[in-house]
């Protein structure tokens, strides 16, 4: 098997890259370890930045997104029993976010690719990425019980944090920067109407809670839990009780409840691999970096990477121009570190930190009051949350 660009992984990064390349006349094959059903049903992020919506719109894959997505122009920070609205759009030049599940974006991208005659090999697990220091790299993969090989000119490693692409890089060529947090998120989807028109990020003595949604009938809620928490310790009633307790307000906020039909625990980590390019291997999305989900950035960062990569690959295959490929890593890392800082900042401000540290709790409270009371501080949150328009990104 042979192609121009071998894309490892059919998450948002790999699928969008395939879509953008197809439109630019560059051939690619996407290899995905799991089944189509699995990747279409994997529940993850839900907040799309304006720039993410724009690229999906401009490239013709946002029909359903515009029909079903929910445009939000503000969010609530809740602490001390009261809510405070951050007017995102007023503070950030009119830009907004759209609430639309990641797995819906994935479904739309798979449908578009198959309709355009592009190839996605499901249940094709890459086992090795080789020879990327020359101009004929190869991806070995296992499909239908057989070892196979995909030859190409460029490999795009879009296989997430646990994939093979980053691990193919020789030790010493890559620097990793990492931080682990002493908590995780328990996330649920429930058949319950949203209790608010906008997202609610709650800081409470009992820990962080987030109220989000997917549609007028479905809510998505998250709770800060211990990093080694087990799902079976959280029967439905305990989840609702804890959400109610953390989100309670002095004026009697009522959380609507319903049948929980999805439950999962997500660890919290910050990670960056530098550089993001090794010869003809390019890392994009979670394969290169992970952010804690508090800033709602993981998916948006993956999209920003592949926009830069698709443009660079178009110039390379069209005109032999390597400038874009040479600048890929530096250009992406500028955004990556801005987003790392924002995600770390939101995480640190909103979660219950070391239980025995009242000093920390006082600092958090002061910071929250400042963000809600100062136009300048609220603008900092807003412009980062809707997505900064960094040069070239
Ligand atoms: P992924 O979506 O991870 O896609 C990688 C793909 O590669 C997968 O389909 C995988 O099956 C495939 N793959 C892996 N190894 C191989 C291989 N060897 N061969 C072939 N294919 C392979 N972000 C938020 O903003 N909010 C959230 O609430 C949130 N929740 C999350 C929950 C979980 C459990 C996880 C893991 C992430 C969450 N994120 C969240 C982050 C966000 O979903 C990711 O940033 C986003 O999915 C990144 O997209 P990606 O395409 O880079 O990687
Ligand atoms: C959602 C996830 C996030 O990480 C976040 O910060 C806001 C919303 C969500 O899944 O809806």
């Amino acid at each position: 098997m042979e192609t121009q660009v071998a894309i490892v992984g059919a998450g948002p990064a790999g699928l969008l890259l395939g879509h953008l390349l197809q439109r630019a006349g560059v051939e690619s094959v996407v290899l995905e370890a799991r089944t189509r059903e699995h990747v279409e049903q994997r529940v993850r992020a839900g907040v799309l930045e304006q720039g993410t919506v724009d690229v999906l719109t401009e490239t013709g894959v946002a029909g359903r997104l515009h029909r079903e997505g929910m445009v939000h122009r503000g969010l609530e920070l809740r602490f001390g029993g009261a809510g405070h609205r951050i007017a995102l759009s007023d503070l950030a030049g009119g830009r907004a976010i759209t609430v639309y599940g990641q797995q819906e974006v994935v479904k739309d991208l798979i449908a578009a690719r198959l309709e355009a005659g592009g190839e996605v090999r499901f249940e094709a697990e890459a086992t090795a990425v080789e020879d990327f220091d020359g101009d004929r790299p190869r991806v070995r993969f296992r499909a239908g019980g057989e070892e196979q090989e995909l030859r190409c000119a460029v490999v795009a490693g879009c296989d997430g944090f646990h994939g093979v692409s980053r691990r193919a890089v020789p030790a010493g060529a890559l620097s990793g920067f990492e931080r682990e947090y002493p908590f995780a998120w328990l996330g649920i989807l429930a058949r319950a109407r949203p209790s608010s028109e906008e997202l609610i990020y709650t800081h409470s003595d009992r820990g962080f809670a987030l109220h989000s949604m997917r549609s007028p009938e479905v809510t998505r809620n998250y709770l800060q839990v211990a990093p080694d928490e087990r799902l079976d310790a959280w029967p439905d009633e305990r989840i609702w009780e804890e959400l109610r307790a953390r989100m309670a307000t002095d004026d009697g906020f009522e959380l609507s409840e319903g049948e929980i039909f999805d439950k999962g625990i997500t660890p919290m980590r910050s990670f960056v691999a530098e550089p993001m390019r090794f010869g003809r291997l390019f890392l994009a999305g979670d394969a290169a970096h992970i952010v804690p989900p508090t800033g709602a950035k993981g998916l948006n960062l993956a999209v920003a990477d592949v926009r830069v990569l698709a443009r660079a690959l178009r110039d390379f295959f069209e005109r032999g121009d390597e400038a874009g490929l040479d600048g890929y890593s530096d250009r992406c890392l500028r955004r990556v570190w801005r987003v790392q800082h924002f995600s770390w900042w939101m995480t640190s401000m909103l979660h219950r930190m070391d239980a025995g540290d009242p000093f920390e709790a006082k600092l958090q409270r002061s910071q929250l009051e400042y963000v809600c009371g100062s136009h300048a501080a609220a603008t900092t949150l807003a412009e980062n949350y809707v997505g900064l328009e960094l040069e070239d990104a």
Side-chain angles (χ1 to χ4, degrees):
M1 253 177 107
E2 188 144 8
T3 189
Q4 286 178 302
V5 181
I7 301 176
V8 187
L15 288 167
L16 182 62
L17 181 62
H19 176 64
L20 298 178
L21 290 179
Q22 187 146 22
R23 289 174 56 87
V26 177
E27 191 192 296
S28 67
V29 171
V30 182
L31 301 176
E32 166 57 49
R34 314 300 296 255
T35 63
R36 178 175 178 179
E37 294 68 35
H38 180 89
V39 300
E40 290 189 342
Q41 269 149 39
R42 198 162 42 190
V43 177
R44 290 185 171 176
V47 171
L48 308 187
E49 289 176 3
Q50 183 78 58
T52 299
V53 172
D54 290 348
V55 68
L56 296 172
T57 305
E58 283 156 18
T59 63
V61 279
R64 199 161 66 91
L65 160 61
H66 288 293
R67 285 194 304 279
E68 298 177 14
M70 304 163 96
V71 176
H72 286 196
R73 303 194 173 280
L75 62 75
E76 181 180 324
L77 292 181
R78 185 175 287 187
F79 54 94
H84 309 263
R85 181 168 192 264
I86 304 292
L88 296 173
S89 297
D90 293 348
L91 293 164
R95 285 179 301 142
I97 53 133
T98 301
V99 179
Y100 188 64
Q102 175 169 326
Q103 79 266 36
E104 306 307 323
V105 175
V106 163
K107 280 181 206 161
D108 296 344
L109 286 169
I110 290 174
R113 174 143 185 112
L114 297 179
E115 204 170 293
E119 194 164 359
V120 187
R121 294 281 305 266
F122 292 101
E123 297 179 82
E125 183 182 2
T127 51
V129 180
E130 294 171 350
D131 296 341
F132 48 85
D133 46 356
D135 58 6
R136 303 299 302 151
R138 290 175 303 167
V139 180
R140 293 187 187 281
F141 65 99
R142 203 177 301 121
E146 277 179 40
E147 301 292 333
Q148 300 184 44
E149 188 179 286
L150 175 58
R151 286 185 300 278
C152 56
V154 169
V155 179
C158 301
D159 45 352
F161 185 67
H162 300 287
V164 293
S165 303
R166 193 182 63 253
R167 280 188 269 129
V169 177
L174 179 149
S175 301
F177 301 85
E178 192 159 11
R179 173 156 303 186
E180 302 235 355
Y181 299 87
F183 37 79
W185 277 15
L186 188 163
I188 60 155
L189 281 170
R191 283 183 234 291
R193 70 180 161 72
S195 306
S196 157
E197 299 212 332
E198 296 176 342
L199 270 58
I200 307 173
Y201 286 80
T202 305
H203 169 76
S204 89
D205 297 342
R206 302 174 70 102
F208 172 76
L210 171 59
H211 180 61
S212 180
M213 60 208 69
R214 288 291 179 268
S215 74
E217 294 86 35
V218 172
T219 55
R220 175 111 173 109
N221 295 300
Y222 296 94
L223 285 170
Q224 173 185 354
V225 294
D228 55 353
E229 194 64 80
R230 290 161 47 102
L231 261 188
D232 55 18
W234 287 87
D236 295 1
E237 191 41 46
R238 181 175 177 209
I239 293 174
W240 291 117
E241 244 174 59
E242 196 56 35
L243 284 166
R244 278 195 301 267
R246 293 187 191 184
M247 297 188 68
T249 58
D250 296 342
D251 59 4
F253 173 75
E254 275 188 41
L255 181 66
S256 62
E257 298 175 17
E259 179 211 347
I260 296 178
F261 62 93
D262 189 274
K263 240 189 238 187
I265 291 187
T266 307
M268 303 275 272
R269 181 189 284 122
S270 301
F271 172 77
V272 181
E274 289 194 10
M276 290 168 59
R277 181 238 179 130
F278 309 88
R280 291 287 184 91
L281 167 63
F282 294 81
L283 302 178
D286 279 16
H289 40 68
I290 296 280
V291 289
T294 327
K297 290 293 171 208
L299 164 64
N300 295 295
L301 202 50
V303 168
D305 288 349
V306 300
R307 287 175 80 178
V308 177
L309 185 53
R311 225 176 298 148
L313 288 169
R314 182 201 58 199
D315 292 350
F316 175 63
F317 285 105
E318 229 175 59
R319 307 197 298 273
D321 177 353
E322 298 203 25
L325 295 181
D326 292 341
Y328 170 74
S329 183
D330 287 349
R331 194 166 293 176
C332 289
L333 283 167
R334 277 207 300 278
R335 175 182 289 273
V336 167
W337 279 111
R338 172 87 301 278
V339 166
Q340 283 292 353
H341 182 274
F342 177 67
S343 304
W344 163 84
W345 177 72
M346 287 283 281
T347 302
S348 313
M349 178 170 71
L350 286 161
H351 289 73
R352 180 171 183 255
M353 294 309 206
D354 185 352
D357 189 351
F359 187 81
E360 181 95 43
K362 292 281 187 191
L363 289 181
Q364 286 177 309
R365 182 62 181 263
S366 168
Q367 183 65 11
L368 282 162
E369 282 170 10
Y370 177 54
V371 167
C372 297
S374 152
H375 189 267
T379 303
T380 291
L381 190 153
E383 68 179 7
N384 280 278
Y385 193 84
V386 300
L388 284 167
E389 292 189 85
L390 297 182
E391 180 207 354
D392 290 333

